[in-house]
Each structure stands twice: as C-alpha cells, then as structure tokens.
Amino acid sequence: MKDRRKNKRKRKVLLTLYLAVCLVIIVAAYFHLSRIARNFNTEHLELITGLYAEKMNDSMEYLQNYVQEDIKMIRSMENAQPEEILEQLEKNLDKTVFDDIGFIMKDGKIYGSSCAVSDIKKKKLDEAALASDTSFNSDPYQSSRTGNMTMTVFVPVGDTSLVHTLYVSIMIENLRQLGEYELLQGKINIHLLKADSENFITCVSDNSGTSGSWNNLLLQQKYFQYDAGYSYNQWIKDMRSGKKDGRFSAIIRGEESTISYRSISVMPGWYVIVELTNKNISDITQQFSVWGGVYGSILVGFTMLYMLTLVLLEKKDKKMYMGLSTTDPLTGILNRRAFQIAVEEELRKKTPGIFIFIDVDNFKIYNDTYGHNNGDFCLKHFAKTMKSCFPEDSIIGRYGGDEFVVYLKNLTGEMARTYMETFQRMISQLTLPTGEVVELSASAGGAAFPEQGEDVMSLCKSADMALYKVKQNGKADFKMKGM
C-alpha cells in the first residue's frame, strides 16, 4: 500500500514535470515562431518597398521618355503656330495615362486646356518652369478639370526660338495602380513623400477613403508613437540628408507597425513609404498561437511544419520578387534597369561588342489603327523575334514604350548589320489574332564598345544618334555610329 502511494506520487511528479516541459516548449515555440515570422515578413516588407520604388522609377522614366518624343516633335514644328503645335500634342496624348499636355512660351504665355493653364498659374508653376533649366516634378495637386489629384512634369525644350518648357500631367489614380497586389489588398499603405516639404500623397491605403489624399507628415504625428531611440526628427533628417532607404517600428493609431522607405532615383527628394501593421504581417503567427492554446500537445509538430513552410515560401517569394524587379512584365525580357546592370557587368569585364538601340517604326499609328491589344501583341512579337534572331549570349531588354536594346558580345559592326537584316526580315510580316497580316519594320542605331562609348550611357547616346540619322533618312534601316 505504501509502495502504491509512493508510485502514485512519483507518477504525479512525472506528469507535472511532463506538463511543465510541454508548457515550456509551447511558450518557447510561440516566441520563436513569432520572431521567425516577424523577421520573415520584415524582409518581405523591404522587398515590397524596393519593388514599389522600382516601379515608380520605371513609371517616371517612361513619363520622361514620353515627353522627350513630344519635344522632338515641337522642334520639328518650330515654324508652326503655337495653336497647331498644341493640337498635334493633344492628338498624340495617351489619355489612358496622362491628364493634360501643353507648353510654356519663352514670353511666359501658357498653351493648354483652360483648366490646366489655370492650375499652373495658381500654383505659380509657370514661374518655376521659366526659372529652371532642368526637368522637375510638381507637388501633387487637385485638378480643377477632373477633381483628381494630379502630378505634372516640366521639361525644358531647348533649341527652339519660341517654346521654353513642355509640361505633361499624370493622374495620381494611375500611380495608385502600382499598388494593386492581391496578396496585400486591404493590408498595406503606400505613400509618396517629398522630404523637403514633408508632404505626402497616399497612393494605396487599407482604408479606401484615404487613397489619393494629400497630407503633411508633421500634422500626422499625433497618430505616431516612435520606439525608444528613434523619432520623427531623425526620420526626416535621414531622408533630407539623402539616405537611400531605412526601416523602423512605431505605434500608429494604436497599432504596432513597421515602416520601410526607399528613395526614388528619378525623383530627387521623393521617397516611397510602405507601412504595414504588425497585426497584418503576423496574421499567420497569431492564428497559429490561438490553435496552440487549444491543441498544445501538437504545437511542436506544427512549429516544425511552419518553419519549413516559411523557408520554402521565402525561397519561392524571393524568386518571384526578383523576377518582378528585373523582367519587363509585357514582353518577358529584361527591363531597362536590369539590362543596364547586365551590360555594365560585361563592360567591366572588357567584353567587346555592339550596343544597338531599336525603335518600332510608326508604332503610334499602328496602335491607333489596330488598338492597344494588338500594340502589345506587336511588342511581344518584337521581343520574341529578338530572342530567336540574335546569338544566345546576347543581352536583350526593353528600354521603354516601343524601344528595345540589345548588346551583341564579341561581334563587329558588319556582323551586327547581318543580324539586323535578318531581324528586319523576320519581323516584316505579322499575323494579328484577328487574321489580318500587317507589315512592320524597325529603325536601329548601333555603337561599338569600347571605340564609341566606354559605359552604358555613352553607348546609348552614340547608338541613339545613329538611330536619329536612320529616322531622318526614311526609317526601316540600321546604321552604326560614324558610318
């Protein structure tokens, strides 16, 4: 009897010890799991911020390239009346993206829609444009014509006797489309912040009513509570000093949040701000901890499964994000920035070759005639043909719009011409999904490395000069710089 009581006490002690060990494992697993999830999601937040900044750079570069084409047209119409120039600019305007277009004469007179002119004068943007010799972007403002938030880019025309500056406005609504990722819908806030004025525009919000609003960051500080060792002044100081990116934690409107920011290279002084509440980025961990309280006996097994899932998801998502940040989504070839990086690597290795700038001939007329869907079909046809025509080790990319680039390694100018002649034949006829057969051609200019340029920018400039001569002489040809 005594032994039985002794064994019973021993079993109770062992059970208590077992339960204590299980409790320790459960608690340790929960905190370890939370830390892994937080680190995992923080890394994703930085990737997302970089992706948005990359997209913003690509969008603003596209806007700059679009404006440059209009500037070429203005220079070609120097002897025309301002009203004729404006009519042609408005006729060419892609209204699915842009809101208004016009120009400012050297005498200060503004041409454009009456609402655009009124907005520019009201904001005194015409005075800033006349005083500037470089391109600049306005702060977002509410268009008096549409009521939508709008941003306007001003670019000096130069080399004309009358027109001083061209301006093009883009609706913030179109910039908001950069944030339409189903994975993050309703969970993420994306802002564009101008560091010197501390004003920001909300592009994407977990509260749809605040999207598109223009606010001052300092006035929002009543909703912020920063972690010890950090402050609003430190954040603004870092951005105004030119710090490229950063991340910190704060309590915003009572919610623990993580904020990541990154500069936009083509918009000096502007930053992409990505804000996620810890609740949103840790939903999986919180849900798991609830089930852990009910099913504590199997929590350790779920912990191991969860950790393995995180590792697999991380590898998969990193691969996806890397693909999104280096590949042109329409054509599947390298985007402009990824192309530049790849070519710069070859130039560092002193790999000789030919840099070719290719432009689809009369693409706007083609787009207007057959529609934007067929326009996209044409661009995909060009990219596919480039991959099949040029050598396998060639670096191929989309520069923007209807412009493509390729770097042919270890080839001469004559060899490049042979490839371009083959390319012209291969693209010459395209059968549309409707069954129609259309004729296509391309104008191209080439520059040799290292003879005609020692870096990507100088090679691009030399090839563009050769391309310009091809266009002057009737298009549908290829010409090397200096030949």
Side-chain angles (χ1 to χ4, degrees), residues 424-453:
Q424 291 280 20
R425 288 196 299 271
M426 293 176 69
I427 63 166
S428 61
Q429 287 193 333
L430 173 63
T431 303
L432 301 179
T434 58
E436 296 176 85
V437 178
V438 296
E439 294 186 359
L440 297 174
S441 64
S443 298
F449 171 77
E451 296 88 347
Q452 293 162 335

Side-chain angles (χ1 to χ4, degrees), residues 328-348:
D328 176 62
L330 177 64
T331 60
I333 59 179
L334 296 178
N335 63 26
R336 179 175 177 177
R337 190 169 300 277
F339 173 84
Q340 289 177 336
I341 292 172
V343 173
E344 284 170 355
E345 179 64 26
E346 293 301 324
L347 301 189
R348 279 194 291 271

Side-chain angles (χ1 to χ4, degrees), residues 211-278:
S211 293
S213 59
W214 181 236
N215 294 297
N216 183 270
L217 188 59
L218 180 60
L219 298 180
Q220 300 296 308
Q221 291 308 296
K222 59 184 178 181
Y223 303 115
F224 281 67
Q225 181 182 340
Y226 294 88
D227 283 357
Y230 201 75
S231 66
Y232 170 75
N233 290 334
Q234 183 62 50
W235 183 17
I236 292 298
K237 181 180 178 181
D238 287 344
M239 289 191 290
R240 287 182 176 174
S241 67
K243 186 176 179 181
K244 184 179 178 181
D245 52 36
R247 187 187 76 250
F248 60 89
S249 297
I251 298 175
I252 305 174
R253 291 181 173 85
E255 294 275 5
E256 292 186 6
S257 304
T258 300
I259 296 176
S260 182
Y261 60 92
R262 180 169 293 189
S263 61
I264 304 173
S265 62
V266 296
M267 296 171 62
W270 284 83
Y271 284 80
V272 170
I273 312 295
V274 178
E275 172 194 329
L276 274 173
T277 65
N278 292 353

Side-chain angles (χ1 to χ4, degrees), residues 33 42 75 88 166 185 228 247 263 284 295 403 408:
L33 188 63
T42 298
R75 290 172 179 168
Q88 190 62 40
L166 175 71
Q185 193 169 4
R247 187 187 76 250
S263 61
I284 299 175
Y295 301 106
E403 297 173 328
L408 304 177

Side-chain angles (χ1 to χ4, degrees), residues 98-118:
F98 304 107
D99 195 22
D100 280 300
I101 192 168
F103 51 88
I104 303 172
M105 305 293 284
K106 290 185 176 179
D107 61 6
K109 187 173 182 180
I110 308 174
Y111 284 85
S113 69
S114 57
C115 291
V117 172
S118 174

